[in-house]
Amino acid sequence: MDTGQQERAAARRLLLIRIVVLLTALLGVNYVAWRWLFSVNWDAWWIAVPLVVAETYSLVDSLLFGLAMWRLKERGEPPAPPPGLTVDVLIATYNEPIDLVMRTARAALAIDYPHRTWVLDDGNRPEMRAAAEAEGIGWITRSEDWAGMPRHAKAGNLNNALLVTEGEFLLILDADQVPLPSILDRTLGYFDDPRMALVQTPQWFVNVPDDDPLGSQAPLFYGPIQQGKDGWNAAFFCGSNAVIRREALMQLGVSRYADEVQAGVQRALRTARSVLRQARRGLGPDEDGVRRALDSIEHDIGRARRELARGEALMDVTYRFQQRVAEIRRRLVEADLTAVQSDLAAIAELERSTDEADDGLAGVDLSALDQLSARDWSPLGAVETVQALVDAVDVDLGSEAQPIMPMATISVTEDMATCMRLHGLGWRTAYHDEVLAHGLAPEDLATMLTQRLRWAQGTVQVMFRENPLLQRRLRWGQRLMYFATMWSYLSGFAALVYLAAPIVYLTIGVLPVQALSTEFFVRLVPFLVVNQLLFFVVAAGRPTWRGQQYSLALFPVWIKSFTSAFGNVFLGRSLDFAVTPKTRQESDGPAWHLVRPQLWAIAALVAAALVGVVRIGTGQAHPAGTIFNLLWVGFDLAIFSVILKAARYRGFDPTATPAPIPDRARRGAA
């Protein structure tokens, strides 16, 4: 098929997708609006309201997915790479087996396009260094500047390497992602666009059987979802298998440094004003000099803020402000010394009086003692306040190992936040839908759960700290594309409701809708059918069922990611970074203990189904309602069946049939 035929086929497919998106949106809005207005059983609000809220959540999720698909971009054959570019291939590692890292490093060394290969060894292992350097591969570990400083996991490792290497472009690889020789030839051509910051390629795994019990391949995400985001210039960095322009990263690092310093200075000035006003309230009526000094400092705070608002250089503004405060502090100290001298004279007079009195202090005039005890000896509190103010506006990032941190450090995953910031600076990204590296997926349930929890936690952290809907530098399409990914991780709460609703009806007969009428089914069923049709059309033959299963079956992971990220961001609780193990973690048998919530859910569904059958057999339940909810339970059990398979999974059998490389990617594998 020539280029023209490919473009026409892509246009026809996009038209079909848009038609189905419109039908899904219309039917979904029609159903959910009717549910809110006419169908909620307010007598059973405790289950009815959560259910309609969960349905509304699912509708928003569907609308965001449809919006992404509206601009699904199929890029086709990539541009040819320009000659003469300098490229650094960076392989991030911490504690992975050395032979695994070296397999990736040797493959990186064999990439066709001229480049330099580096192993970024965050574990600082002498044996890793020896193995790399023996084969002419560069080795980088953290500098001494990082001692005693926050390390920021993989983001810190990459940030450290950015200040050591020099290539115009960076190919980022995880330790287990073995690149194909053509990976740079197939991606560098996109950078003919001077505003192209990043080209992301899929992650595909060689150790996954055809039935993919752990849902590792993610063909919907590494395909239509990223292609849809690409259409909105919102395809984002996924941590590996991506080429990034160094200039874009360094601009981001410098920009973030300037923004953070300016924001820090503004916060310090606001806080200092409050502190000064508090200090002034504690002054006595005879301390007009100190009061005038503090008023002068407050005036200088306002002047500094106005200068910053006019865009004057931050360093100049803070320097002038510090000089003025230093002068005022000097005068305060001089005044304090005068006060101390006066205090000493008062003490000397007191000592003389007690010496002259026969009864010591008892013989001194009580009015003189009262005056002495009420005296403010010196305005030390005000002086310390001023000094704290000066320290607060010091333009310094001394709490970090290096001031320039291009890779975002606000979450346990660096990729999404970094890319969102690049888009905010006006850079472009591309998603090249071709497998150009072969990785290793988790081979046991425990590792998979660790990986998914970290991904979800990182995404939710970004939502809490830099919600894309509030990022004014992003276009609205980009905001919604980033938010769609974050929104999807809230599905755990909706899953709880979807589990509870049929159980409640089958066991105690409480219906969350006013009636299971014809109108209910006429509105619901077409929406569900067309929604599944949308998945079928956009998937274009890629399997999506496993992804749909895990979006609900991992509801405990999604809930934990939300609560733990909330605790980290708003309550200051620790959120440890866990490197995904690259080898199977041994266990004695099925890992049922890892999926206890799901097993309890399965048991509750089965028990509810049995109760429902008994109730309908004894005439205690409405037949239509019971049959509908039994079908609902059957669907939930089909969803959760993947958990039973995952808990029994014993790792990839090399003699088994692996998942095939997607047809779209065979050029890269050839």
Side-chain angles (χ1 to χ4, degrees):
M1 185 181 296
D2 62 28
T3 303
Q5 291 175 316
Q6 290 177 345
E7 290 176 353
R8 288 191 293 273
R12 288 193 297 270
R13 180 182 175 222
L14 184 59
L15 176 61
L16 176 60
I17 288 172
R18 288 181 172 181
I19 291 172
V20 180
V21 166
L22 282 175
L23 285 174
T24 304
L26 291 172
L27 292 171
V29 171
N30 176 62
Y31 168 71
V32 171
W34 176 79
R35 285 279 287 113
W36 276 105
L37 295 174
F38 304 108
S39 180
V40 176
N41 181 6
W42 294 105
D43 291 335
W45 63 267
W46 50 272
I47 185 63
V49 172
L51 180 59
V52 74
V53 169
E55 290 177 303
T56 305
Y57 165 84
S58 297
L59 172 63
V60 173
D61 199 43
S62 177
L63 293 175
L64 290 171
F65 178 74
L67 185 66
M69 296 306 101
W70 190 264
R71 286 194 179 181
L72 187 143
K73 178 179 287 189
E74 298 186 69
R75 288 186 174 267
E77 190 67 12
L85 301 179
T86 57
V87 183
D88 287 315
V89 179
L90 306 181
I91 303 166
T93 177
Y94 176 64
N95 60 358
E96 294 86 352
I98 291 175
D99 59 343
L100 182 147
V101 179
M102 288 305 300
R103 182 177 60 189
T104 300
R106 292 187 191 103
L109 203 60
I111 291 173
D112 293 332
Y113 196 92
H115 64 284
R116 291 197 66 182
T117 301
W118 302 89
V119 170
L120 313 184
D121 182 19
D122 219 12
N124 193 15
R125 296 169 289 177
E127 59 274 23
M128 183 75 257
R129 178 176 188 174
E133 293 181 346
E135 301 194 31
I137 297 167
W139 178 86
I140 299 173
T141 193
R142 304 281 186 123
S143 67
E144 291 299 322
D145 293 338
W146 291 87
M149 294 293 184
R151 294 185 67 82
H152 301 302
K154 182 180 174 183
N157 193 10
L158 292 171
N159 281 328
N160 177 73
L162 283 169
L163 299 188
V164 176
T165 56
E166 298 178 349
E168 300 168 86
F169 297 92
L170 311 165
L171 169 59
I172 309 294
L173 296 171
D174 281 343
D176 64 308
Q177 291 286 341
V178 179
L180 301 183
S182 59
I183 187 168
L184 292 177
D185 288 320
R186 304 291 292 173
T187 52
L188 286 175
Y190 289 106
F191 292 98
D192 279 344
D193 179 351
R195 296 303 297 169
M196 184 66 68
L198 175 141
V199 177
Q200 178 67 56
T201 69
Q203 294 188 24
W204 183 85
F205 307 100
V206 296
N207 61 333
V208 175
D210 190 32
D211 61 345
D212 194 7
L214 300 181
S216 298
Q217 296 292 19
L220 190 64
F221 177 79
Y222 287 113
I225 290 178
Q226 277 281 50
Q227 288 176 309
K229 294 179 186 297
D230 195 13
W232 294 93
N233 187 29
F236 59 76
F237 181 32
C238 299
S240 184
N241 306 0
V243 182
I244 310 179
R245 188 189 295 268
R246 179 186 294 272
E247 176 192 352
L249 281 178
M250 297 312 292
Q251 182 193 0
L252 175 60
V254 172
S255 172
R256 293 299 302 183
Y257 171 79
D259 289 347
E260 288 171 11
V261 169
Q262 177 131 349
V265 169
Q266 291 283 13
R267 283 194 301 271
L269 292 174
R270 288 195 299 270
T271 303
R273 172 174 284 177
S274 299
V275 170
L276 283 174
R277 290 175 178 175
Q278 180 66 29
R280 191 166 48 228
R281 282 196 290 269
L283 295 176
D286 59 339
E287 295 181 286
D288 289 339
V290 175
R291 183 176 289 102
R292 285 194 298 272
L294 297 183
D295 288 345
S296 178
I297 294 176
E298 185 171 354
H299 173 75
D300 286 333
I301 288 175
R303 180 161 55 182
R305 295 181 68 182
R306 289 191 296 274
E307 290 171 346
L308 290 174
R310 289 197 299 268
E312 294 190 30
L314 183 66
M315 296 294 289
D316 293 341
V317 172
T318 54
Y319 177 77
R320 288 195 299 267
F321 177 68
Q322 289 175 331
Q323 291 300 305
R324 290 195 295 267
V325 170
E327 173 60 24
I328 293 171
R329 181 178 182 276
R330 184 185 61 78
R331 294 203 303 267
L332 283 174
V333 170
E334 290 177 353
D336 232 18
L337 290 175
T338 302
V340 168
Q341 291 173 352
S342 174
D343 296 337
L344 292 174
I347 292 172
E349 178 62 25
L350 175 64
E351 292 174 343
R352 187 186 63 77
S353 299
T354 55
D355 288 341
E356 293 176 355
D358 293 336
D359 299 324
L361 281 175
V364 178
D365 189 337
L366 291 179
S367 62
L369 287 177
D370 290 340
Q371 183 179 359
L372 191 63
S373 63
R375 178 188 180 90
D376 285 325
W377 291 81
S378 61
L380 291 176
V383 173
E384 292 301 320
T385 299
V386 174
Q387 186 63 56
L389 170 62
V390 175
D391 292 340
V393 297
D394 190 16
V395 181
D396 180 353
L397 290 182
S399 61
E400 296 285 0
Q402 55 189 53
I404 304 300
M405 294 279 203
M407 292 288 178
T409 59
I410 63 168
S411 82
V412 293
T413 53
E414 75 292 337
D415 41 24
M416 175 185 287
T418 299
C419 204
M420 188 168 71
R421 292 172 175 180
L422 287 172
H423 281 129
L425 291 177
W427 290 95
R428 287 191 279 274
T429 61
Y431 178 70
H432 181 67
D433 192 29
E434 178 181 354
V435 172
L436 294 168
H438 296 169
L440 295 177
E443 292 206 32
D444 60 89
L445 181 59
T447 304
M448 182 269 275
L449 294 176
T450 298
Q451 182 189 69
R452 302 297 173 85
L453 177 62
R454 189 182 78 244
W455 290 348
Q457 285 173 328
T459 302
V460 177
Q461 280 180 304
V462 177
M463 181 176 70
F464 286 147
R465 288 191 166 122
E466 294 184 8
N467 190 320
L469 298 180
L470 305 178
Q471 303 303 308
R472 287 179 290 180
R473 291 179 176 179
L474 293 175
R475 296 178 179 176
W476 268 107
Q478 293 172 318
R479 298 187 201 188
L480 291 172
M481 291 303 100
Y482 278 105
F483 183 73
T485 299
M486 300 169 183
W487 180 259
S488 67
Y489 282 114
L490 305 182
S491 62
F493 299 102
L496 283 178
V497 180
Y498 290 141
L499 289 170
I503 292 173
V504 167
Y505 180 78
L506 291 171
T507 55
I508 61 176
V510 173
L511 195 64
V513 298
Q514 288 188 0
L516 293 175
S517 60
T518 301
E519 189 174 9
F520 173 79
F521 289 108
V522 165
R523 293 175 184 274
L524 173 62
V525 174
F527 170 56
L528 295 179
V529 170
V530 174
N531 196 52
Q532 287 300 309
L533 178 62
L534 177 59
F535 279 101
F536 177 79
V537 171
V538 302
R542 310 176 205 217
T544 63
W545 172 241
R546 191 66 83 218
Q548 292 184 63
Q549 284 182 296
Y550 274 114
S551 69
L552 289 177
L554 291 183
F555 73 91
V557 174
W558 311 144
I559 292 173
K560 182 178 179 181
S561 72
F562 183 91
T563 56
S564 59
F566 182 91
N568 173 256
V569 173
F570 296 110
L571 305 178
R573 296 173 183 166
S574 175
L575 192 64
D576 294 332
F577 180 89
V579 176
T580 304
K582 300 302 187 292
T583 56
R584 176 175 172 76
Q585 308 301 293
E586 295 296 331
S587 61
D588 296 331
W592 302 121
H593 63 287
L594 297 174
V595 290
R596 285 196 185 100
Q598 291 93 330
L599 295 178
W600 280 109
I602 292 172
L605 288 168
V606 171
L610 294 175
V611 172
V613 171
V614 171
R615 292 184 75 246
I616 194 173
T618 56
Q620 301 178 51
H622 191 279
T626 302
I627 292 172
F628 173 74
N629 280 275
L630 286 174
L631 291 174
W632 190 345
V633 165
F635 178 77
D636 284 343
L637 291 174
I639 289 286
F640 282 103
S641 65
V642 70
I643 287 296
L644 305 180
K645 190 178 188 69
R648 297 195 307 270
Y649 183 55
R650 303 297 296 163
F652 180 66
D653 181 357
T655 65
T657 303
I661 299 177
D663 289 339
R664 70 193 187 279
R666 293 194 183 280
R667 291 191 308 275

